Amino acid sequence: MTLRNTPETFGLVSRLMHWGIAGLVIAQLSLGLRIAEMQPGLANLPLYGLHKSLGLITLALVIARILWHRASPPPKPLGGGWQATAARITHGAIYALLLAIPFSGWAASSATGIDVMLFDRWVMPAIAPVSPLWEERGFTLHDLLTKALLALIFLHMAAALKRAMDGDGTLRRMVTGRARD
């Protein structure tokens, strides 16, 4: 088992980052949906802090994954044609959203005038001015981008399951590293 990607296989680092980010995104979507239903208050402040902290960790991992793929390029998709093109576009959009969503949340939170904290320990720099307009637009953008990500995740999962049912090895390669045993 290799840490780095090869032209045919996903290395352990890429697979761990993929599934780790996927787990964090699912947790964030669940937590974010719960928070959206709540009235902000002192009793639920820790949930907001947890959501922000996990968002910053997700952002850091996404940046690390992008850098890792520059150092250890992933293997080419199995198959080709329009499906490979669609997969490339979808992956690019998912990466863009995984960058834009945390930044929009960070900017909107900064605009509230309340410090953005990482696990109630480290204060993150404000990346937007304190402004009700920036706050409103930032959270609206955060919500819209999250809904777009959710749609792309469902598309990504459906395509992976279809390819698994077709037996092409794509999903197996992301789980085990290799398309075939």
Side-chain angles (χ1 to χ4, degrees), residues 26-82:
I26 290 168
Q28 282 293 83
L29 288 169
S30 301
L31 187 55
L33 287 171
R34 177 73 178 113
I35 287 172
E37 297 172 356
M38 301 173 126
Q39 236 0 21
L42 292 177
N44 54 32
L45 199 56
L47 292 178
Y48 287 91
L50 179 61
H51 184 70
K52 292 173 188 180
S53 294
L54 292 178
L56 291 167
I57 296 299
T58 303
L59 175 62
L61 284 174
V62 169
I63 292 169
R65 187 164 183 209
I66 291 168
L67 294 173
W68 176 253
H69 279 183
R70 301 293 260 163
S72 181
K76 299 245 185 269
L78 299 173
W82 71 269

